[in-house]
Amino acid sequence: MVDIEKPSNFIRHIIDADLRAGKYASRLWSGRPGPAAQQGAGAGDTATIRTRFPPEPNGYLHFGHAKSICLNFGLALDYGGACHLRFDDTNPEKEDQEYVDSIIDAVRWLGFDWQDNQYFASDYFQWMYDFAERLIEAGHAYVDSQTGDEMRASRGTLTDPGRNSPFRSRAPAENLALFRAMRAGEFPDGTHILRAKIDMSSGNINMRDPPIYRIRHATHHNTGDVWCVYPMYTYAHPIEDALENITHSICTLEFEDQRPFYDWLLARLAELGCVNTPLPQQIEFARLNLSYVVLSKRKLIQLVEEKHVDGWDDPRLPTLVGARRRGFTPEGFRRFSEMIGVSKSDSWIDISVLEDCQREHLNETAPRRTAVLDPGKLIIDNYPEGQEEQCLAPNHPQKPEWGKRAVAFSRELWIEREDFMEAPSKGYFRLFPGNTVRLRYGFVVKCAGAERDADGNITAVHCDYLPDSKSGTPGSDSYKVKGNIHWVAARHAYACEVRLYDRLFAVEAPGEGGLDFIGDLNPRSKVVVTAQLEAALKDAAAEDRVQFERHGYFVADRIDSRPGAPVFNRAVTLKDSWAKGK
Ligand code: ATP
Ligand code: MG
């Protein structure tokens, strides 16, 4: 069993210490994001901590985001805090309402609730702009009019300090006038840029007067053409956190070198009375790297655009919409997230850990059903034609309280073709001439042999049944057989499309060794079969999850299923078929 006790971790230690010290106890909060002047009129913040999940609405969420979502929302839940859903939409070019909607769906699906704390960073553009003017007036920012090439050339390297821009000594009044002209649309893109005035000789390149506002004549999905200057991400993000009264701003490790700027900027804005104190603190953790998938947005887009998969919600993609169609569960993701925990150093998690978490939850929750995925006929010669009866099959072997269901039994059945062998190999206990097996939850049958067509292909297997061997009737246990196979009565079966999904990539690290990752796709990641299912599965509702006995966990596809005509997707097999040594 997976231990889903919440293990402690370094982020919890920081929060515990902050709460013990009362670090954030005195925060004022008006109930809405805003600068210090507005929060000052507010009451104390009743949320112990505030975290946020800040996706940029420029793509579909993937398994890596699930880790971040479970972490941020999970901490808020555990500590009696709040977690904000914030769309970090400061970049005018790549964002889209379609992504906003899909992100909302995905976070809800994972089971989290942000109450009324749903925000758009672009709603703060005016405050961000005003703060930039305050920084200019205080001598903390200047307009640089070098070309891009000149700026790059004077930035220095990891070992050499940078050089001051010739425009660095502009007076605040001149900077302010230029910045206002930038905002008024008087200059084309790239002609001027607003930079923080920090230290061109800093050992941290991010502190060498980083750009904070650029000219960009572009239409924004939320603010339209109101703005032609846009804040840089590194400037916008700390401000968003401060305006929203975030206490712990949790992000991935690549932002570690940005933390000094995060702190510098908010300290200046606090001095200037722009933002509320105590200030939020940035905490970095290692991003999720998973074997057998790719999580980079660029690679996911390539897979979709080049049609290696059937769209963003393809069940093989590591997107959350894909996982949902695959039959994965929110509980499985939350369990996974608890299991892998958080750390400060990069590591790889094997995809089997996620699959096991899904399997465990599905095992507990999915009723058992019968499906023959590779159907061949079994004819019971001594069972009267036209006769039929019911057999009782348990809905879950470990949960008798779930009861049993009746399944029809008759003369012609579907069985898996691999459950018959003319000449059995060693250790094969299923149907072969002369052998007896139990038809699971039904009768014991004795195999007579097979019928073949002109080409030698088996068209039907024949057997006789033992009338007093019916499961559940007195004395039926006295038959000792080694084979126990599943079946579906042919006359009642529901013939159905079933998609047998498997890992999208055939290797642990797609694209490793310089090869194109596309070359590592698993050619058998989607196999479509026409299966024969027990009759009642015809009534499965979209997203019903079941275990097909002996096969794995399946879900009625939420897109392609029709009432009375569901199609099924395989979520995971019963056991890890990729485990080493198999
Ligand atoms: P990009 O920066 O290329 O746009 P992204 O995957 O970082 O892609 P964001 O929308 O910025 O996309 O991510 C939102 C949040 O999800 C961020 O806080 C980010 O740190 C977190 N996140 C993204 N990928 C992972 C990952 N693999 N593991 C953990 N957290 C992740
Ligand atoms: Mg990002």
Side-chain angles (χ1 to χ4, degrees):
M1 272 301 284
V2 178
D3 180 9
I4 55 168
E5 282 284 294
K6 304 263 155 79
S8 201
N9 60 47
F10 76 97
I11 298 180
R12 287 172 176 273
H13 292 158
I14 293 172
I15 295 175
D16 290 338
D18 289 344
L19 291 178
R20 263 197 313 275
K23 182 169 173 187
Y24 292 102
S26 62
R27 278 140 58 236
L28 297 173
W29 175 239
S30 67
R32 305 306 295 167
Q38 290 182 17
Q39 302 302 351
D45 193 341
T46 52
T48 50
I49 59 168
R50 280 184 194 272
T51 56
R52 84 285 174 269
F53 174 63
E56 190 179 347
N58 65 353
Y60 284 81
L61 297 185
H62 57 59
F63 294 0
H65 295 118
K67 175 178 179 178
S68 178
I69 293 168
C70 292
L71 177 63
N72 280 295
F73 281 93
L75 288 169
L77 272 175
D78 290 347
Y79 284 97
C83 181
H84 299 188
L85 175 60
R86 178 203 308 151
F87 293 99
D88 211 326
D89 59 350
T90 52
N91 184 346
E93 272 131 350
K94 294 186 294 186
E95 292 147 4
D96 207 302
Q97 188 62 35
E98 174 193 353
Y99 298 127
V100 171
D101 295 340
S102 83
I103 289 169
I104 288 176
D105 276 357
V107 181
R108 280 219 182 99
W109 179 73
L110 281 176
F112 296 109
D113 182 6
W114 49 94
Q115 286 154 0
D116 54 359
N117 293 303
Q118 179 180 310
Y119 304 117
F120 286 86
S122 57
D123 288 338
Y124 312 150
F125 279 161
Q126 186 64 50
W127 288 320
M128 291 177 186
Y129 177 85
D130 292 343
F131 293 176
E133 287 204 347
R134 295 292 86 70
L135 289 170
I136 292 170
E137 288 163 350
H140 295 311
Y142 63 98
V143 173
D144 195 349
S145 308
Q146 295 184 97
T147 64
D149 284 344
E150 286 166 344
M151 272 183 64
R152 264 185 297 281
S154 61
R155 197 172 50 188
T157 65
L158 285 177
T159 44
D160 297 321
R163 273 176 287 108
N164 285 352
S165 162
F167 302 99
R168 196 174 197 266
S169 49
R170 275 175 170 154
E174 186 189 355
N175 284 317
L176 194 59
L178 275 170
F179 187 50
R180 288 181 176 166
M182 281 166 66
R183 191 246 177 283
E186 291 175 21
F187 308 116
D189 291 1
T191 47
H192 304 276
I193 199 158
L194 186 68
R195 297 176 75 173
K197 194 170 187 176
I198 310 179
D199 178 6
M200 286 305 290
S201 62
S202 170
N204 182 342
I205 286 191
N206 299 297
M207 296 297 272
R208 294 181 191 166
D209 294 5
I212 59 179
Y213 251 97
R214 61 193 171 133
I215 304 172
R216 201 76 200 77
H217 292 270
T219 304
H220 186 277
H221 81 114
N222 184 25
T223 55
D225 292 321
V226 170
W227 296 94
C228 62
V229 288
Y230 289 94
M232 306 300 287
Y233 179 84
T234 46
Y235 172 79
H237 202 86
I239 294 178
E240 294 157 24
D241 286 342
L243 292 171
E244 291 179 18
N245 241 20
I246 299 301
T247 56
H248 300 85
S249 177
I250 301 167
C251 63
T252 42
L253 280 178
E254 67 271 23
F255 293 102
E256 197 165 16
D257 292 345
Q258 291 287 355
R259 187 169 6 111
F261 179 66
Y262 185 104
D263 291 340
W264 178 92
L265 175 66
L266 291 186
R268 299 293 81 73
L269 292 175
E271 285 163 11
L272 295 168
C274 296
V275 299
N276 223 2
T277 53
L279 295 170
Q281 60 179 309
Q282 176 179 306
I283 302 170
E284 309 87 17
F285 71 102
R287 64 172 44 237
L288 172 66
N289 296 309
L290 261 187
S291 66
Y292 290 96
V293 295
V294 292
L295 293 180
S296 123
K297 250 176 220 174
R298 184 181 59 75
K299 291 181 177 167
L300 293 175
I301 289 173
Q302 189 180 341
L303 287 169
V304 173
E305 286 185 348
E306 294 178 4
K307 300 200 181 340
H308 299 290
V309 293
D310 309 325
W312 283 105
D313 62 354
D314 186 298
R316 293 165 293 179
L317 273 189
T319 55
L320 292 177
V321 276
R324 182 171 176 184
R325 269 192 92 174
R326 177 82 175 246
F328 281 15
T329 70
E331 292 84 351
F333 275 106
R334 298 205 298 265
R335 189 175 292 204
F336 173 68
S337 174
E338 289 296 337
M339 254 196 90
I340 60 175
V342 286
S343 77
K344 268 283 188 194
S345 55
D346 269 316
S347 66
W348 282 80
I349 304 288
D350 198 87
I351 189 96
S352 65
V353 178
L354 173 62
E355 291 166 348
D356 277 340
C357 290
Q358 297 295 343
R359 218 173 254 127
E360 275 194 50
H361 183 248
L362 289 164
N363 179 37
E364 288 157 20
T365 53
R368 275 40 176 175
R369 295 291 181 260
T370 309
V372 177
L373 299 182
D374 183 22
K377 271 281 171 65
L378 179 71
I379 300 174
I380 304 167
D381 296 320
N382 63 341
Y383 196 87
E385 205 129 12
Q387 181 172 319
E388 67 177 59
E389 63 192 282
Q390 303 294 321
C391 295
L392 289 178
N395 289 319
H396 195 299
Q398 283 89 45
K399 297 181 196 276
E401 68 279 13
W402 285 19
K404 295 187 175 188
R405 66 196 188 280
V407 291
F409 183 86
S410 59
R411 180 182 158 90
E412 289 197 12
L413 310 177
W414 292 113
I415 59 167
E416 300 292 346
R417 290 197 307 165
E418 63 163 33
D419 285 343
F420 172 79
M421 277 182 105
E422 187 91 63
S425 52
K426 190 163 176 286
Y428 186 86
F429 299 120
R430 291 168 273 166
L431 290 168
F432 56 85
N435 193 35
T436 47
V437 304
R438 177 169 293 283
L439 298 175
R440 184 176 275 202
Y441 315 126
F443 293 88
V444 172
V445 295
K446 181 165 185 175
C447 181
E451 211 179 294
R452 292 175 185 276
D453 64 15
D455 299 327
N457 300 314
I458 293 175
T459 51
V461 174
H462 286 266
C463 65
D464 281 336
Y465 86 118
L466 307 176
D468 60 349
S469 66
K470 187 173 183 177
S471 287
T473 58
S476 65
D477 300 348
S478 61
Y479 291 93
K480 296 295 174 217
V481 292
K482 283 191 171 163
N484 189 327
I485 66 173
H486 65 275
W487 51 275
V488 171
R491 195 167 353 129
H492 300 268
Y494 166 46
C496 168
E497 176 177 323
V498 174
R499 296 89 171 247
L500 304 175
Y501 289 112
D502 199 353
R503 293 182 185 170
L504 182 56
F505 289 95
V507 300
E508 263 177 52
E512 198 186 40
L515 290 174
D516 180 16
F517 74 105
I518 297 291
D520 290 329
L521 285 165
N522 171 11
R524 292 187 54 79
S525 61
K526 177 185 183 184
V527 174
V528 181
V529 298
T530 301
Q532 299 286 347
L533 314 187
E534 71 174 75
L537 284 170
K538 215 172 170 14
D539 300 323
E543 294 206 83
D544 278 357
R545 301 185 185 95
V546 291
Q547 184 197 88
F548 290 166
E549 291 197 22
R550 293 176 68 204
H551 287 307
Y553 297 96
F554 289 73
V555 66
D557 189 276
R558 61 191 284 254
I559 307 295
D560 298 331
S561 293
R562 297 285 165 271
V567 298
F568 285 87
N569 300 332
R570 181 169 69 198
V572 278
T573 49
L574 286 183
K575 295 212 175 70
D576 180 4
S577 55
W578 289 72
K580 301 250 161 38
K582 288 211 176 162

